[in-house]
Amino acid sequence: MLLRGGEVHSPADPFATAMVVEGDRVAWVGSEGAADSFADGVDETVRLDGALVTPAFTDAHVHTTATGLSLTGLDLAAATGPADALARVRAHAAAHPDHRVLLGTGWDTTGWSERRHPTRAELDAATGHRPLYLSRVDVHSALVTTALLDLVPGVTGLAGYAPDAPLTAAAHHAVRSAAHDSLSPRQRAEAQRTALRHAASVGIGSVHECAGPEISGEDDLADLLRLAAEEPLPRVTGYWAEVVTSAKDAARVRELGAVGAAGDLFADGSFGSHTAHLREPYADSPHTGSSFLDADAVAAHVATCTEAGLQAGFHAIGDAALDAVTGGVRAAAERVGLARVRAARHRVEHAELLDARNVEAFAQLALTASVQPGFDAAWGGDDGMYAERLGRDRARALNPYAALLRAGVPLALGSDSPVTPLGPWAAVRAAAFHRTPAHRVSARAAFTAHTRGGWRAIGRDDAGVLVPGAPADYAVWRTGELVVQAPDSTVANWSTDPRSGTPGLPDLTPGGQLPVCLRTVVAGRTVHGRPIE
């Protein structure tokens, strides 16, 4: 296939307008004049009419089934308060009389004028006393009905249970498992297919599924990997979040089809649910959150994974949790060797409240920071949820992307969907126009972290870029003028000079229209397409 007459984003030729794909690989990238020599020998020619071709994006942190359910079911992200939320619950329950358990997500009281969540009694009445699981936007706590509690024996004795407050910790994990176990295979497959098709429609060619026993279950992961392999959909790389303490445990992770014992292996929780683990108490609550793994447990997991040739990783958000993770990985390196730990490319999800010491540790230990710029866009700023939970000074320290890149820490960008929506250009914009100017990075750096960075995070250095020999995973976009964009003088801007030959990207200035995906191709196979016009 010859694509010509557009703009091809490639380091092989910063002024390329054409590309040849042969099978599942990029065969050539170059100029319009040189494309004439291929025209008679290809099976198909695609006229781009000025469209932009880029590598397909990789979303490095996704919960696929939950994303599909939020796209097709009860999503309370737009709810304006408890009364509105209850009305939406009532309508959803009436529309789905056949669902054993009602599922919903997305509520967030920090944006409501009446700063309270619906009570359990109100939810019981709104559902007609049916089982309901309603996760908070960060998916680290949930509101449930009495009927769902009745399906989980012993839940009232678990950590994180409260009589009429959102459930957290073990109690939350127990009710979530009961709720997701209610899905039929057909419901699960449809949710997964919906999520992956939506990902393809926004230019995502690959997702990292963060599964685990406290998240979605073995059948869910197995079904998802099978679906992605059998149908024209984005690639799925699976992670399984379970502690590994033996070679047998590592072998089991591989048997599940996962590439690592990583992803949402919780060292702590989230800021929104007051469960991220902090060194100092929350600004709006007199405690320091929840710790689920200490440095010794981290060290044992990382050492065992490293010796087994398996990628390890953790969910860590608060500064105390990141202390435990970096301290544990450092201890593992002392045990099995720093070079082996670095070569394994272990990763940390979210990595939000980092100080200079932890940034240095990430660089020394070659830890990949799998981060979500949409978090800052949603909750950052001096008046956002982060400032409410932590106070303005600590909130301003969150998500220091520029410091990570300056230290040489590899970044992989994602959404944690359904926590924030699938939308890679929005994520690139959020990183480039971070609410804290000191943490901003160039659009080019953010774009690279959202394309090539996701591949590097799974040990692949040959993908996520359009050069001869690379996998033919690409997206075609309708967009405006291309620019080399550095948001302000705090961002290194040497490459903004056109003479540098740096490939341009769409103008991502906030308020402007984001690029529209016309086609997404994975391994040479179209997984999303519309007319290029």
Side-chain angles (χ1 to χ4, degrees):
M1 177 184 292
L2 169 64
L3 298 90
R4 65 184 305 179
E7 301 280 352
V8 178
H9 187 93
S10 172
D13 183 346
F15 306 107
T17 63
M19 180 172 75
V20 173
V21 173
E22 185 172 0
D24 63 353
R25 296 279 162 174
V26 175
W28 172 84
V29 174
S31 68
E32 192 64 24
D36 289 337
S37 63
F38 294 97
D40 293 335
V42 297
D43 299 309
E44 181 183 357
T45 296
V46 175
R47 299 284 178 177
L48 294 170
D49 295 327
L52 171 67
V53 182
T54 72
F57 286 97
T58 293
D59 192 310
H61 192 120
V62 169
H63 303 286
T64 306
T65 302
T67 297
L69 292 171
S70 71
L71 290 169
T72 60
L74 176 58
D75 185 356
L76 296 183
T80 57
D84 184 26
L86 287 165
R88 292 169 186 255
V89 168
R90 195 174 298 110
H92 183 75
H96 297 89
D98 56 329
H99 285 196
R100 288 178 52 210
V101 175
L102 299 167
L103 300 171
T105 190
W107 62 270
D108 182 3
T109 59
T110 60
W112 294 355
S113 55
E114 187 179 356
R115 302 289 287 274
R116 71 169 184 89
H117 56 77
T119 67
R120 190 163 298 155
E122 289 172 330
L123 291 170
D124 286 346
T127 59
H129 300 276
R130 293 167 62 191
L132 167 72
Y133 170 80
L134 201 58
S135 64
R136 191 184 180 279
V137 62
D138 58 11
V139 200
H140 282 271
S141 60
L143 299 169
V144 300
T145 55
T146 303
L148 181 58
L149 292 175
D150 291 342
L151 298 179
V152 188
V155 66
T156 59
L158 295 177
Y161 174 80
D164 197 21
L167 305 187
T168 63
H172 173 226
H173 298 155
V175 295
R176 177 166 59 186
S177 293
H180 285 179
D181 286 348
S182 72
L183 291 173
S184 69
R186 181 189 60 79
Q187 286 176 299
R188 180 186 297 127
E190 189 54 37
Q192 293 172 344
R193 189 176 291 110
T194 296
L196 292 177
R197 286 176 176 170
H198 179 63
S201 76
V202 294
I204 295 171
S206 178
V207 302
H208 297 179
E209 168 67 14
C210 293
E214 296 179 341
I215 301 164
S216 53
E218 295 181 12
D219 289 345
D220 187 270
L221 177 60
D223 290 347
L224 175 63
L225 295 175
R226 187 181 308 111
L227 179 71
E230 293 175 352
E231 298 188 14
L233 295 166
R235 302 176 192 259
V236 176
T237 298
Y239 284 94
W240 185 251
E242 192 165 14
V243 171
V244 167
T245 59
S246 67
K248 182 178 179 181
D249 291 342
R252 179 174 170 275
V253 170
R254 287 197 176 93
E255 289 170 2
L256 292 173
V259 301
D264 276 334
L265 181 52
F266 297 118
D268 67 345
S270 72
F271 293 126
S273 292
H274 290 100
T275 52
H277 189 204
L278 305 177
R279 296 172 187 160
E280 302 294 334
Y282 283 86
D284 61 351
S285 191
H287 64 85
T288 58
S290 303
S291 173
F292 303 128
L293 293 172
D294 60 18
D296 289 342
V298 169
H301 178 74
V302 171
T304 303
C305 287
T306 303
E307 290 177 330
L310 190 68
Q311 194 177 23
F314 306 90
H315 161 122
I317 285 181
D319 48 7
L322 287 158
D323 288 343
V325 167
T326 54
V329 178
R330 196 183 300 279
E334 293 172 356
R335 189 180 310 172
V336 302
L338 177 60
R340 293 179 69 188
V341 166
R342 287 178 58 86
R345 304 192 190 190
H346 303 309
R347 54 190 282 174
V348 180
E349 309 301 313
H350 316 309
E352 292 200 78
L353 189 50
L354 289 159
D355 61 12
R357 181 180 61 186
N358 280 329
V359 170
E360 180 183 0
F362 269 55
Q364 180 188 23
L365 300 165
L367 295 173
T368 294
S370 171
V371 299
Q372 296 74 40
F375 288 7
D376 177 71
W379 304 309
D382 287 348
D383 298 316
M385 182 271 287
Y386 286 154
E388 182 176 316
R389 292 289 189 268
L390 303 175
R392 289 184 176 180
D393 288 344
R394 275 191 297 180
R396 289 170 181 164
L398 290 171
N399 302 303
Y401 303 143
L404 288 164
L405 285 179
R406 282 196 300 268
V409 176
L411 295 186
L413 267 56
S415 63
D416 198 9
S417 181
V419 176
T420 61
L422 297 169
W425 285 116
V428 173
R429 172 188 278 173
F433 293 91
H434 197 295
R435 290 176 181 269
T436 303
H439 299 332
R440 292 174 178 172
V441 299
S442 69
R444 178 190 181 196
F447 174 81
T448 300
H450 217 337
T451 50
R452 200 168 193 179
W455 284 96
R456 286 173 167 167
I458 61 171
R460 290 280 303 274
D461 294 331
D462 64 331
V465 61
L466 299 180
V467 297
D473 289 29
Y474 61 91
V476 181
W477 306 90
R478 183 174 65 246
T479 186
E481 181 182 1
L482 302 185
V483 298
V484 179
Q485 190 168 37
D488 56 45
S489 61
T490 67
V491 177
N493 59 7
W494 61 268
S495 63
T496 59
D497 188 328
R499 293 171 296 179
S500 70
T502 302
L505 288 169
D507 185 346
L508 300 177
T509 303
Q513 183 177 354
L514 292 172
V516 175
C517 184
L518 303 175
R519 181 176 298 182
T520 305
V521 176
V522 174
R525 182 170 64 167
T526 299
V527 298
H528 166 75
R530 66 178 73 171
I532 298 175
E533 57 186 20

